[in-house]
Amino acid sequence: MLTNYFKIAFRNLVRHRVFSAINIVGLAIGIAACLLILQYVDFELSYDRFHTKADRIYRVKQDRYDKGKLSTQWAGGAQAAGNSFKAAFPEVEDYVKVLKRRALIADYGEKSLKVERVFVASESFFKIFSYPLLAGDPATVLAEPNTVALSESVARRLFGNQDPLGKTIRLNQEKAVKVTGVYQDMPANTHLHADLLIPHRTFIQEMGPDNNPDNGWLWDGALSYLLLRPDADPKALEAKFVPYIEKTIGAELKKYDAGAVYTLQPLQDIHLYSHLMEEAEPNGDGNTVYLLLGIAFFIVVIAWVNYINLATARAINRAKEVGIRKTVGSQRGQLVRQFLIESVLLNGLSVVLALVLVAVAMPFFNQLSGQHLSLSLLGSGTFWLALGTLFVVGSFFSGLYPAFVLSGFQPVTVLKGKLITSRQGTVLRKSLVVFQFAASLFLLVGTLAVFRQIQFMREQSLGLSIDQTLVINPPIIKKDSTFMRQMVAFKDELLRQPAIRHIAASSVVPGQASDWNAGGIRLKGTDVSKGSQYRVIAVDYDFLKTFDLKLIAGRDFSKEYGLEKKAVIFNKMAIRQLGFTNPADAIGKEIDFWGDIFTIVGVTDNFHQQSLRDAYEPLILRLIPDVRGYFSVKLATSQLQSTLATLRTEWNRFFPGNPFEYFFLDEHFNAQYQADQRFGQVFGLFTGLAILVACLGLFGLASFTTAQRTKEIGIRKVLGASVFEIVQMLYKEFALLVLIACVVATPLAWYAVSQWLQGYAFKSEVQWWLFVLPFVVVLLIALLTVSFQSVKAALMNPVTSLRSE
């Protein structure tokens, strides 16, 4: 019997090729889009889940308060947190501290290698985390100072086929260290990627006995991870932090009218839900992941709706088949099974085509989304579970209602030719079409809003000039005794070149967060409780003129006033925080900066140090003439290649052994919007697919509706109706459905876009055209979709359509 069901189902699919093709293609696109998004979502959710103790690992998050207000949220918090919490609370089984370091040069024999991702880690690193150690003992690999552990790829590049263990390498041409371990390259789905690990004991040794970081509660920058015991309650442990901090550093914090709150972040939540200061690396966005998951749901439901609409619309054509089957003895249950088998067969063919589409589209999707998904994911259990779920749910969800509608026809009514389309069925089909286009409109409004916000951020004035600015990465190898002389000579030599207008050195450049967060800064002579937190950028004399920063009071740094190492320039936001409403009033005032006295010589207007997602921050430009940082070169010519050759030559002359690496500042700054750009592209792609799938269904529905009204159209033409009037009549019904969809989608889209824009400090306005333009686009697409069938029907000779009457 089952074989017979499949034979009949196959014959029906072949007999009605156009409707079958529309359903199969629509479902295949919907399933393929859904599978691509599910793979992306599955990858994002898989971060750090491979650690065997992942459910017991928590990172300590630090919230700093200034004058009762939240000032900073740190991933890399107090140096003392990890070891202190381990000693104080039995719930903590172990801890590990991790600190970011700058890139370094590793030398072995004749081989020299720049290592980008360098971290300091305490000795429990490989005992807590499940990063496979290929050589060395997990318990001792990071136990001794003046040793290192290397990633597999770094070890291979330095040592080739030699055994690295026990061998000595030099770091930055100065420090000799022994290799005590080699670990497997860290996988893509972890929030922490290290190419070289330095033991924390080395860091303690470098700081000296009077400056032990393990005692540093007001010294930030350490990523502290706690391994809790199996029976520990994280919330109960967090509650114990409050009295402990009060007892330990409460008096010190009160002196500065400051506060610190420590909470626990589950390791598996870091990648998607943590965007704090001093993150190990930029993290993903949980909202984006779940929004894409919603899009996947929309697309596949739209495809299922197509099947339901077309299957029920064709009910009249299949009514006689049902009547005859019931007359010769078929039971309703048998007919339901027959129509469900048709749905299963159609969904099965769609799944096969969807797999082909996924394989073909994967490279393009990776390029668009910036992910590194591969076809190897097709072998994962999650993928096949998702595919199986889509197949089963799709077969029954899309097939069940049509099966019961078709099997419910009464033989007497059908065979007398008295069957008419029910009002309920018509309303359902129209409701489903409205849902399809409401979903499409919602997604299209969202896509436009994303690109509008990106365009808005790129068009706004930053308050500083980043055009024609080439930035050279900081020198890694530098000798303190000669660096100032090298730096001055390097700048002087470059400024002799007519192609170079200005050159400045700074600890960070626009597009980067300041890594110097200074608390307790106050006016000289005021109580320590008046101190506040500021972001600090170390700059040389030429920073303001290189970036064309606007002074609203005072003057620039100048050598005419001698070596003014005690001079600072505030931005407008910082002056307000200091208590001045008029910038001019702050000029000449002295501030207490960690015990040293500095003079405010100028005030700049607020400028965007980072993207427009972030609000202005109170910022201090502190003059450090020999700052070890980036060199920003303002170019005056388009002769880039010759200028680059000059820069490279002079760099190698003054900073030998340092790689010459550069980037263009405008590209670097706009890279902050790359995640938004990619999100917009992915959002736009799947919005387009949703509209395509909806239009496929609309084409099929229009074809069937037009065929049903063929005789009516013939009669109207005989009575004098023009082609335009007939096309207008057919258009009106579908245009009304799109209008209703717009009414439904507009308030939902407005709310969603408004909520999304709350994540930006500087945001575009939600304007009327964001809703009108998608409506016009979708309406035109819908009308073009039905045009072929409508015009064809309007042009048909009425004699042909009325021949049988």
Side-chain angles (χ1 to χ4, degrees):
M1 197 67 181
L2 190 62
T3 305
N4 187 50
Y5 286 152
F6 273 103
K7 281 182 180 179
I8 296 169
F10 183 74
R11 287 170 185 164
N12 272 309
L13 292 182
V14 173
R15 186 179 301 119
H16 305 285
R17 292 181 182 86
V18 174
F19 290 100
S20 298
I22 289 172
N23 274 321
I24 290 171
V25 172
L27 280 170
I29 291 173
I31 293 171
C34 191
L35 288 174
L36 281 172
I37 293 176
L38 287 176
Q39 285 189 81
Y40 169 82
V41 170
D42 182 58
F43 178 76
E44 289 290 297
L45 294 177
S46 72
Y47 267 68
D48 291 309
R49 295 185 186 276
F50 61 87
H51 296 290
T52 56
K53 303 172 184 175
D55 60 327
R56 296 196 285 134
I57 303 173
Y58 293 81
R59 190 174 71 181
V60 178
K61 174 191 169 191
Q62 174 184 276
D63 292 343
R64 289 279 191 183
Y65 288 83
D66 189 24
K67 310 289 186 298
K69 295 181 179 179
L70 181 65
S71 59
T72 48
Q73 293 183 296
W74 293 82
Q79 298 280 344
N83 53 282
S84 299
F85 289 157
K86 167 68 170 66
F89 303 111
E91 294 94 330
V92 181
E93 182 179 313
D94 205 349
Y95 78 95
V96 61
K97 275 193 276 192
V98 179
L99 290 79
K100 289 172 65 175
R101 297 292 287 264
R102 293 200 174 195
L104 52 76
I105 303 294
D107 294 310
Y108 176 71
E110 298 298 317
K111 291 185 179 178
S112 184
L113 177 68
K114 180 183 179 183
V115 184
E116 292 279 1
R117 299 178 298 192
V118 181
F119 289 85
V120 170
S122 56
E123 58 192 86
S124 293
F125 185 86
F126 289 104
K127 292 190 286 183
I128 291 178
F129 297 121
S130 299
Y131 299 117
L133 195 61
L134 304 178
D137 183 352
T140 60
V141 64
L142 295 171
E144 298 297 327
N146 303 320
T147 61
V148 291
L150 306 176
S151 70
E152 185 180 9
S153 58
V154 168
R156 188 181 301 113
R157 291 169 66 189
L158 271 178
F159 298 101
N161 295 324
Q162 299 181 54
D163 181 5
L165 285 188
K167 290 186 169 56
T168 299
I169 62 174
R170 296 190 74 81
L171 302 182
N172 293 343
Q173 298 181 357
E174 295 177 346
K175 194 177 188 67
V177 294
K178 184 172 70 174
V179 178
T180 54
V182 177
Y183 53 89
Q184 194 175 90
D185 288 351
M186 294 176 178
N189 58 338
T190 181
H191 79 287
L192 174 67
H193 293 90
D195 293 320
L196 186 147
L197 291 171
I198 299 171
H200 192 257
R201 291 180 185 274
T202 302
F203 180 55
I204 293 175
Q205 188 181 73
E206 290 172 350
M207 293 299 102
D210 297 331
N211 199 22
N212 190 337
D214 283 348
N215 301 326
W217 277 107
L218 300 181
W219 179 1
D220 299 316
L223 299 162
S224 299
Y225 301 84
L226 306 181
L227 175 66
L228 304 189
R229 299 191 185 279
D231 58 346
D233 181 351
K235 290 298 179 185
L237 179 59
E238 279 182 357
K240 293 181 180 181
F241 289 164
V242 177
Y244 177 81
I245 293 300
E246 179 63 29
K247 177 182 176 183
T248 307
I249 55 168
E252 185 74 10
L253 290 171
K254 283 178 183 175
K255 276 198 325 186
Y256 299 100
D257 196 10
V261 176
Y262 294 87
T263 53
L264 296 175
Q265 284 183 307
L267 177 69
Q268 296 167 339
D269 288 352
I270 290 174
H271 174 65
L272 290 181
Y273 305 107
S274 186
H275 304 89
L276 312 174
M277 288 190 66
E278 294 292 326
E279 292 283 358
E281 58 189 56
N283 288 320
D285 185 350
N287 292 331
T288 298
V289 168
Y290 288 109
L291 189 55
L292 288 175
L293 198 59
I295 295 174
F297 172 78
F298 271 140
I299 293 176
V300 78
V301 169
I302 287 172
W304 287 337
V305 164
N306 279 352
Y307 180 82
I308 295 171
N309 258 344
L310 293 177
T312 53
R314 289 175 55 222
I316 294 177
N317 282 4
R318 302 196 65 178
K320 288 184 180 179
E321 174 193 343
V322 173
I324 293 170
R325 285 177 179 274
K326 284 193 169 184
T327 301
V328 297
S330 290
Q331 300 298 314
R332 187 175 188 185
Q334 292 174 311
L335 292 171
V336 169
R337 284 193 292 274
Q338 171 64 57
F339 294 125
L340 280 176
I341 289 296
E342 287 186 21
S343 177
V344 168
L345 180 59
L346 192 138
N347 274 271
L349 293 172
S350 301
V351 164
V352 173
L353 181 56
L355 289 174
V356 175
L357 292 176
V358 167
V360 171
M362 184 80 75
F364 172 71
F365 180 72
N366 283 338
Q367 184 180 5
L368 197 68
S369 65
Q371 294 299 315
H372 303 284
L373 306 177
S374 68
L375 293 178
S376 62
L377 288 172
L378 300 183
S380 70
T382 305
F383 176 85
W384 290 106
L385 177 63
L387 184 62
T389 302
L390 286 172
F391 172 67
V392 173
V393 173
S395 297
F396 285 92
F397 174 78
S398 60
L400 206 57
Y401 176 74
F404 276 101
V405 169
L406 293 169
S407 64
F409 292 147
Q410 298 301 316
V412 175
T413 306
V414 168
L415 296 177
K416 283 184 177 181
K418 295 182 179 180
L419 180 69
I420 58 172
T421 305
S422 69
R423 184 174 181 276
Q424 292 87 345
T426 303
V427 170
L428 175 64
R429 282 196 298 278
K430 289 182 178 180
S431 299
L432 292 176
V433 170
V434 167
F435 165 79
Q436 286 181 309
F437 281 100
S440 300
L441 282 164
F442 178 88
L443 296 176
L444 192 52
V445 170
T447 300
L448 288 177
V450 171
F451 283 108
R452 175 72 188 101
Q453 175 63 17
I454 294 170
Q455 182 186 31
F456 169 82
M457 292 189 292
R458 287 183 167 174
E459 289 177 348
Q460 296 305 297
S461 171
L462 300 177
L464 74 169
S465 171
I466 60 174
D467 295 330
Q468 289 203 249
T469 305
L470 180 146
V471 180
I472 306 173
N473 281 340
I476 297 171
I477 302 168
K478 47 188 180 284
K479 295 181 180 179
D480 292 345
S481 58
T482 61
F483 182 77
M484 181 67 178
R485 189 164 61 250
Q486 285 176 288
M487 175 182 166
V488 171
F490 175 64
K491 290 179 63 176
D492 288 345
E493 188 63 38
L494 290 183
L495 289 172
R496 292 193 184 97
Q497 306 297 323
I500 295 173
R501 291 167 47 206
H502 302 294
I503 180 169
S506 57
S507 56
V508 293
V509 294
Q512 298 173 337
S514 172
D515 54 3
W516 190 352
N517 185 63
I521 296 175
R522 64 189 191 279
L523 284 170
K524 178 184 175 182
T526 59
D527 188 74
V528 292
S529 64
K530 301 297 183 182
S532 297
Q533 289 192 15
Y534 297 81
R535 304 285 184 267
V536 183
I537 300 177
V539 303
D540 70 356
Y541 287 102
D542 303 305
F543 186 83
L544 267 71
K545 62 185 177 185
T546 298
F547 291 106
D548 198 21
L549 281 169
K550 179 184 177 183
L551 277 168
I552 55 176
R555 61 172 177 84
D556 193 357
F557 299 122
S558 175
K559 294 178 183 177
E560 294 177 5
Y561 296 87
L563 192 63
E564 49 178 7
K565 283 191 174 181
K566 299 292 186 179
V568 290
I569 292 176
F570 278 45
N571 74 348
K572 193 174 180 181
M573 194 86 169
I575 286 297
R576 287 179 181 173
Q577 183 166 283
L578 199 61
F580 296 97
T581 54
N582 183 4
D585 294 341
I587 303 303
K589 296 294 188 295
E590 293 182 318
I591 61 167
D592 189 319
F593 192 134
W594 295 353
D596 289 329
I597 305 303
F598 290 79
T599 303
I600 301 173
V601 299
V603 179
T604 71
D605 203 354
N606 291 326
F607 60 92
H608 293 283
Q609 175 64 23
Q610 292 178 263
S611 80
L612 274 73
R613 182 187 285 269
D614 304 303
Y616 292 127
E617 293 184 312
L619 193 63
I620 297 175
L621 302 178
R622 175 168 160 177
L623 179 64
I624 301 180
D626 59 344
V627 55
R628 274 78 160 162
Y630 296 88
F631 290 98
S632 300
V633 183
K634 185 71 76 173
L635 304 177
T637 177
S638 59
Q639 296 176 354
L640 182 60
Q641 293 307 314
S642 59
T643 306
L644 276 174
T646 301
L647 287 169
R648 188 186 304 275
T649 300
E650 299 303 329
W651 178 266
N652 292 334
R653 174 184 165 197
F654 288 100
F655 301 104
N658 286 283
F660 177 72
E661 296 175 333
Y662 66 91
F663 55 86
F664 291 98
L665 190 56
D666 54 349
E667 295 176 359
H668 173 76
F669 195 92
N670 287 330
Q672 296 177 99
Y673 306 128
Q674 191 174 55
D676 292 314
Q677 184 87 28
R678 283 176 170 164
F679 172 64
Q681 290 171 341
V682 172
F683 202 105
L685 169 67
F686 290 110
T687 297
L689 290 177
I691 294 173
L692 173 62
V693 172
C695 287
L696 280 173
L698 187 63
F699 178 81
L701 195 60
S703 301
F704 184 80
T705 303
T706 304
Q708 290 294 101
R709 301 179 71 175
T710 300
K711 289 184 175 60
E712 176 192 344
I713 292 169
I715 293 169
R716 286 180 179 273
K717 289 195 74 173
V718 169
L719 294 175
S722 66
V723 171
F724 176 77
E725 288 172 331
I726 291 172
V727 171
Q728 187 181 38
M729 175 192 72
L730 294 171
Y731 274 175
K732 190 182 298 182
E733 178 182 351
F734 294 106
L736 181 61
L737 296 180
V738 176
L739 179 61
I740 294 170
C742 182
V743 172
V744 172
T746 296
L748 297 175
W750 177 85
Y751 176 77
V753 168
S754 300
Q755 290 298 112
W756 178 72
L757 286 172
Q758 293 306 311
Y760 294 85
F762 299 86
K763 47 187 174 285
S764 59
E765 294 181 5
V766 182
Q767 298 176 322
W768 61 269
W769 62 264
L770 274 177
F771 306 96
V772 173
L773 182 60
F775 168 70
V776 172
V777 169
V778 170
L779 179 62
L780 288 175
I781 292 173
L783 295 182
L784 284 172
T785 301
V786 302
S787 288
F788 177 76
Q789 294 298 333
S790 300
V791 174
K792 180 180 174 183
L795 293 174
M796 185 182 292
N797 190 334
V799 174
T800 305
S801 57
L802 299 174
R803 184 183 301 156
S804 60
E805 294 302 312

